[in-house]
Amino acid sequence: MNDKTDDRAKDFPQPVYLDANATEPLRPQARAAMLEAADLTGNPSSVHHAGRRARAVLEEARNTVAHRLGVAPLNCVFTSGGTEANVLAMHGLGQGRRFLVGRTEHDAVRKGVPDGADRAWLEVDSHGQVRLDLLEAALSAPGAPAFVCLMLANNETGVLHPMAEVARLCRQHGAHLHVDAVQAAGRMAVNVEELGADSLACSGHKMGGPKGAGALLLRGPAPRPLAPVFEGGGQEQGRRGGTQPLPAIAGLAAALCDALDNPRDLAPLRNRLEQAAQAAGALVCGAGAPRLGNTASLVLPGRRAQGQLMRLDLDGLCVSAGSACSSGKVAFSHVLEAMGLGEQAGQAIRVSLPWNVREADVERFVQSYARMSAGAGLALAQ
């Protein structure tokens, strides 16, 4: 790099990462665990000494994740991430059931219902919480027992569903309750038994671990039968084939422990951010419901989301317009549409604070957002 390039680089602000719901920064504890596991040569399925050493690390991680999330170790099935954990639950446990899927679910669940299965949508109220009256009506409808899919915390708004009531209704009607806890695990207390969930999905990189590892947790003290999506070599007790990615799994377990042992309440910073955005003319989506403390969904009326992202990115702010699983495209949010926001569903950005966010990072966003809402960079923002 020549001197002129160095001078130009100095003109650009250091980026501020505020897109934790897409992926969290890697925690130091997770990195250390990954590096230690990466030095092990053996395959966890091999019976020789090197394989047994790798197996010991794998099972230690399994015991940790199972204990922390409230299931028996044999009911913790490691996967490649949250998407596979959700799909494995639906395909492996949903045979012969009719699917009741929350309207605001992540596309991993919306598109993961097995082909040919009976599916109905569960509507939400204006705050983004499932309508319990409509859930009860759907559960009471004639037909096969239901397989209910509801995320604990929404990835775009942070809104929490009333899971205690949902679980009560599911038990009353003999329904299987699958909870997508990808955004919640590591950010709040999550326990499969206490939630009343029958199955639950989590993902390592949403809690400060690496990408490439997740887990499906199954309720019950004894190993739960689970039809595999692919059998492979019979790993994970025949429930998920493929050699386990040991470094990623070790990093997942370490990240979960650090997140739960060192919790950080990000709600005050989130509230500061939202109050400043409202003063600049924004609407906060889901503000009337319990939410994750790190997530803010902000509508700036009349300004397309893509323009807002471009303007904020020029200021070095990394935020998003919702899910990060859409090939980089910016489109109307199906979550906000389901909440009744109409055209404003295309005018929202998501700010999600990572575990290591600083007060100065939030203040920088506040200043940039105020300039944008006042008209600076208007050609980009409209």
Side-chain angles (χ1 to χ4, degrees):
M1 183 180 289
N2 58 39
D3 292 340
K4 290 184 178 180
T5 305
D6 285 337
D7 290 340
R8 286 196 300 269
K10 294 175 183 176
D11 294 333
F12 290 92
Q14 282 294 109
V16 170
Y17 186 79
L18 302 177
D19 197 17
N21 288 10
T23 190
E24 285 273 12
L26 188 65
R27 294 174 182 267
Q29 294 82 355
R31 179 183 285 107
M34 292 169 63
L35 290 174
E36 185 175 347
D39 283 337
L40 298 177
T41 302
N43 186 315
S45 297
S46 298
V47 297
H48 49 59
H49 177 72
R52 294 197 304 274
R53 288 184 64 196
R55 170 64 69 172
V57 172
L58 175 68
E59 296 309 324
E60 181 180 359
R62 191 188 313 279
N63 289 339
T64 296
V65 174
H67 171 70
R68 293 295 187 134
L69 297 180
V71 301
L74 291 177
N75 280 331
C76 173
V77 182
F78 287 121
T79 67
S80 63
T83 293
E84 187 191 342
N86 282 315
V87 171
L88 179 58
M90 289 186 284
H91 286 251
L93 300 168
Q95 302 97 325
R97 291 179 177 264
R98 55 193 175 93
F99 285 78
L100 302 179
V101 179
R103 183 69 78 173
T104 57
E105 294 301 291
H106 191 281
D107 277 347
V109 171
R110 285 160 53 90
K111 298 178 180 179
V113 175
D115 292 340
D118 182 13
R119 181 192 65 185
W121 296 113
L122 295 172
E123 302 295 340
V124 299
D125 60 22
S126 61
H127 301 301
Q129 290 187 301
V130 66
R131 289 269 307 272
L132 293 172
D133 57 334
L134 298 181
L135 170 61
E136 184 167 21
L139 290 171
S140 301
F147 191 99
V148 175
C149 299
L150 283 174
M151 62 201 329
L152 180 52
N154 187 267
N155 56 298
E156 294 190 24
T157 64
V159 167
L160 305 175
H161 285 302
M163 279 299 171
E165 287 300 305
V166 169
R168 181 185 64 79
L169 290 172
C170 287
R171 287 194 302 270
Q172 182 179 328
H173 293 274
H176 180 107
L177 174 59
H178 174 67
V179 174
D180 176 355
V182 165
Q183 293 295 342
R187 295 180 179 148
M188 59 180 287
V190 174
N191 183 288
V192 172
E193 290 288 341
E194 293 176 3
L195 281 174
D198 296 291
S199 55
L200 181 144
C202 70
S203 178
H205 75 104
K206 304 291 188 177
M207 59 182 76
K211 304 171 185 68
L216 175 63
L217 293 307
L218 307 173
R219 188 179 187 186
R224 183 93 177 251
L226 176 68
V229 173
F230 50 91
E231 296 187 15
Q235 293 88 349
E236 297 298 293
Q237 297 201 22
R239 296 178 291 188
R240 196 276 184 186
T243 300
Q244 295 93 341
L246 194 60
I249 290 172
L252 183 163
L256 179 60
C257 287
D258 185 53
L260 296 179
D261 291 342
N262 301 288
R264 185 180 177 195
D265 182 9
L266 296 175
L269 286 176
R270 190 273 316 272
N271 294 343
R272 158 65 180 144
L273 184 152
E274 290 182 343
Q275 289 162 5
Q278 288 174 308
L283 307 174
V284 178
C285 305
R291 291 179 293 153
L292 287 177
N294 81 314
T295 305
S297 177
L298 307 174
V299 167
L300 193 56
R303 303 285 186 89
R304 289 187 295 112
Q306 183 163 356
Q308 296 182 57
L309 295 183
M310 293 171 64
R311 183 64 188 87
L312 294 169
D313 187 52
L314 288 175
D315 277 356
L317 292 156
C318 303
V319 299
S320 71
S323 173
C325 304
S326 302
S327 302
K329 66 184 180 182
V330 177
F332 269 57
S333 163
H334 74 271
V335 173
L336 302 187
E337 283 186 304
M339 293 166 62
L341 271 74
E343 289 187 359
Q344 291 181 337
Q347 300 166 2
I349 64 169
R350 178 188 69 188
V351 184
S352 46
L353 308 181
W355 62 268
N356 60 351
V357 67
R358 303 172 304 162
E359 185 175 347
D361 299 331
V362 172
E363 291 306 317
R364 184 149 145 212
F365 173 85
V366 165
Q367 295 170 14
S368 180
Y369 195 86
R371 289 194 298 270
M372 179 181 70
S373 64
L378 188 61
L380 287 175
Q382 287 187 334

